[in-house]
Amino acid sequence: MPALSPLLYAEPRHRRAMHAVALLMFACIVIAGSVPGARAEVGEYASGIVLHSLAYAGLATLWFLGSTGSALQRALKAVLAIALMGAFDEGVQHFLPYRSGTVRDWLVDVSAATVAATALGALLARIPIPQTPGRNPVRPR
C-alpha cells in the first residue's frame, strides 16, 4: 500500500489539479443533465441511483485527494463539497421543465460521498506519510 502514499499525500499543485478536475467534471454533469432527453438515453444503461452514486463518489474521491488535514477533516471537506454540488445540481434540475430535482437524488449523492470519503479516510489512516528526501509533505493537522 505504500505505493498509494504519493496520491494520498499529493503535492500542492496536484491537489489543486484534483479540485479543478472535480469542478470540471461537476460542470460537465450539470451541463449534460440539462440537455433535453440526455438523461433518458443514459437511463437505458444505468439507473439514476447508479449514475448518481458513481458520479458523486468519484467527485468525492477527487475532493478528498485534493484536500489537506487529518483523515476526518478531509472526509468532512469532501462530503460537504459534494452536498453543496449535489444541492446545486438538483436545484438546476428543479427549474428545468423536463427534469425534476429531488431530495432523494441529493441523499444518494451525499451517501455515495460519505461511503467514498470513509473508505479513503480509513485507507489514509493505514498509510504512513511518505518520507522522500528534498520533499516536505503536507502533514495532517
Side-chain angles (χ1 to χ4, degrees):
M1 281 205 254
L4 292 176
S5 62
L7 186 60
L8 290 169
Y9 298 102
E11 295 179 18
R13 64 188 170 103
H14 294 143
R15 289 194 317 269
R16 284 189 300 274
M18 286 182 219
H19 280 167
V21 169
L23 291 172
L24 179 63
M25 286 177 58
F26 174 67
C28 290
I29 289 169
V30 172
I31 291 167
S34 300
V35 174
R39 172 61 185 96
E41 289 179 24
V42 174
E44 294 177 22
Y45 302 103
S47 70
I49 291 175
V50 171
L51 292 173
H52 277 265
S53 296
L54 292 175
Y56 285 92
L59 290 173
T61 298
L62 286 169
W63 207 266
F64 182 97
L65 295 174
S67 298
T68 59
S70 68
L72 177 61
Q73 290 170 333
R74 292 169 77 172
L76 290 174
K77 289 175 188 179
V79 172
L80 178 61
I82 296 312
L84 293 172
M85 288 180 195
F88 180 82
D89 185 22
E90 295 305 315
V92 167
Q93 290 178 21
H94 177 74
F95 291 104
L96 299 173
Y98 46 88
R99 296 294 310 266
S100 62
T102 65
V103 173
R104 183 189 70 96
D105 284 349
W106 178 77
L107 289 172
V108 170
D109 301 343
V110 174
S111 297
T114 302
V115 169
T118 301
L120 286 165
L123 186 62
L124 183 70
R126 297 182 55 125
I127 296 178
I129 298 172
Q131 300 297 324
T132 54
R135 182 169 174 241
N136 188 10
V138 175
R139 301 205 181 278
R141 294 177 208 160

